Amino acid sequence: RLYCIVIVASVVIVIGGCLSKITGTLAEIRTINSEGSRKCREVRQYLQAQNISMELTQRIMRFVEYKLERQSSVSLDQSLISPSLYIELHVSQRGGILAQLPILQLTRDLFSEVFAEICRALNKEVFGKTEFVFVADSLAQGMSITSVGTFRIANGADQENDP
């Protein structure tokens, strides 16, 4: 009889611990989702306050939702790791994309510190369907590398004709 009571008490404690972990995980997921919802709501409120047309508001909101889906749900607090480890992390994340270019592959092989700084300086940007990443015969603002998605090549005259 005492054995059965101990077993039942142990099962109740284990089930309680599992339920606690599940509840904590659900709360964390809800927090992440609510942050994205809050950002969407703030953009929508701004657009309404500025009396932006419904069509433009819908296009902007679709892009905001797309960008929120593409963003990482968590970010790294840079103060938690050393600067050298932070640069090493950037090389690990971005080095494979950059090393596909022969000049940068040579830089990686011969000047690893320079390559690490290039990886650190790289910024991720998300573009919408009608945005121009490169425009022919225009002054470059920097170097851009497309890694995901599709694009079409257009000349400067196409830019003026597109809506």
Side-chain angles (χ1 to χ4, degrees), residues 66-116:
Y66 168 76
K67 190 164 184 175
L68 286 173
E69 286 175 10
R70 304 271 311 164
Q71 280 184 340
S72 176
S73 59
V74 292
S75 61
L76 176 64
D77 183 0
Q78 190 175 344
S79 67
L80 296 176
I81 60 175
S82 71
S84 62
L85 283 175
Y86 195 65
I87 290 174
E88 216 175 305
L89 176 64
H90 282 268
V91 171
S92 171
Q93 291 174 326
R94 302 166 178 167
I97 294 169
L98 292 177
Q100 292 175 8
L101 298 170
I103 187 72
L104 293 177
Q105 183 178 21
L106 183 64
T107 304
R108 181 192 66 189
D109 295 342
L110 298 178
F111 307 103
S112 58
E113 296 85 14
V114 173
F115 184 75

Side-chain angles (χ1 to χ4, degrees), residues 32-62:
I32 291 170
N33 287 339
S34 68
E35 183 177 332
S37 297
R38 179 187 56 78
K39 288 179 180 179
C40 281
R41 187 174 53 251
E42 287 175 356
V43 171
R44 188 175 289 114
Q45 287 172 347
Y46 172 81
L47 296 172
Q48 287 174 346
Q50 300 299 317
N51 294 322
I52 305 300
S53 71
M54 185 59 76
E55 178 187 343
L56 181 57
T57 298
Q58 289 175 342
R59 287 180 33 223
I60 291 171
M61 292 310 300
R62 276 196 306 261

Side-chain angles (χ1 to χ4, degrees), residues 2-18:
L2 180 62
Y3 176 75
C4 287
I5 293 173
V6 170
I7 294 294
V8 169
S10 299
V11 168
V12 168
I13 291 171
V14 169
I15 289 175
C18 290

